[in-house]
Amino acid sequence: MNPPLILLTGATGFIASHTWLALQAAGYRVLGIDNFSNSSPEVLTRLKTLGGMTPDFIRADVCDAAAIDTVFAREPIAAVVHFAAFKAVGESAAKPLAYYANNLSGLFTVCQAMERHHCQALVFSSSATVYGKPEQLPIREDAALSATNPYGATKLMSETVLRDLQAADPSWAIATLRYFNPVGAHESGLIGEDPRGTPNNVMPFISQVAIGKRARLSIFGNDYDTADGTGVRDYIHVSDLAEGHVAALRYLLAGKGSIVANLGTGQGSSVLELVRAFEQASGRSVPFEIAPRRPGDIDACYADPARAHELLGWRATRDLQTMCADSWRWQNLNPNGLAG
Ligand code: UDP
């Protein structure tokens, strides 16, 4: 019998491409779809090298119902991992309509196609952003939820949709995974985070400073209520995150029900700690300046990862040094990203 076929949407993106390899390593077959709105087809070439087989891929937009239906009609799909979405917080405030339309319509289209084709196992990419400004640290899954920007609102709304869907029809099995701060890259340095233009997130920005593409990092605030005054986040290696998706899929396909789980390390690191760790891992200096706070940022955010460990048997294993070393290898081997 063929191994189960897993559909990845947004398959050539940062987290999805690593999850693709992790799923293959776990023995699943993978079908990827993407419209390349924020990724490069070159990822497929890299996946072929790393996975030892030509990736099964269809270029399609998750908002295109006819195209998604065609994907499902090809052969039975055991489960979907739905990554495809817009993800830039700042851009979401400037283009709320585009964010709500793309992120929600993509989810509706995928879930409706799943229903039509009797596929009811779904892993959904959510985010720690759904905790808004957390009242307690570390953050447990039962903490209060809120959105502080349109991107976060799309994740919160998507979670609501999925909760209602599961409540209405318990034959749905849904894993809602709340990612903390994904960083690092595949240990080969062949795939990694490939931002277009100026990076929004701190790790790709630091990498570009270290390689000399940018003069210095602006650290957004050093007067936060943290040990050194800079923001504290739960950085998690993308390969750990990828393995978390495999664990969630196994849980769903074993018929254990639905789950909402944090995927984080439980360990907070400040921006300054991250800069120091990166300098050590790369042997390069990372000049920085202290800049004003970025609107909407919070002091600290880190996970209580206990639930994922208890229910999924998963925990992150790669430390900050490994995250920085792998980010640096990726940056160094691909100084201009994959488009360049
Ligand atoms: N940050 C920074 N400079 C940058 C980008 C981010 O100092 O150029 C800080 C930001 O204020 C936060 C941390 O780095 O404390 C992580 O930010 P990022 O945008 O990577 O992720 P977020 O936690 O906001 O999703």
Side-chain angles (χ1 to χ4, degrees), residues 286-300:
V286 178
F288 64 83
E289 65 187 3
I290 304 300
R293 289 183 175 200
R294 185 171 64 178
D297 272 357
I298 54 177
D299 302 68

Side-chain angles (χ1 to χ4, degrees), residues 287-318:
F288 64 83
E289 65 187 3
I290 304 300
R293 289 183 175 200
R294 185 171 64 178
D297 272 357
I298 54 177
D299 302 68
C301 175
Y302 50 92
D304 179 339
R307 185 186 283 178
H309 188 236
E310 272 160 35
L311 296 183
L312 304 179
W314 168 92
R315 66 152 59 114
T317 60
R318 294 160 178 92

Side-chain angles (χ1 to χ4, degrees), residues 145-158:
L145 304 180
S146 69
T148 53
N149 55 70
Y151 162 72
T154 69
K155 291 298 174 188
L156 203 48
M157 288 177 186
S158 297

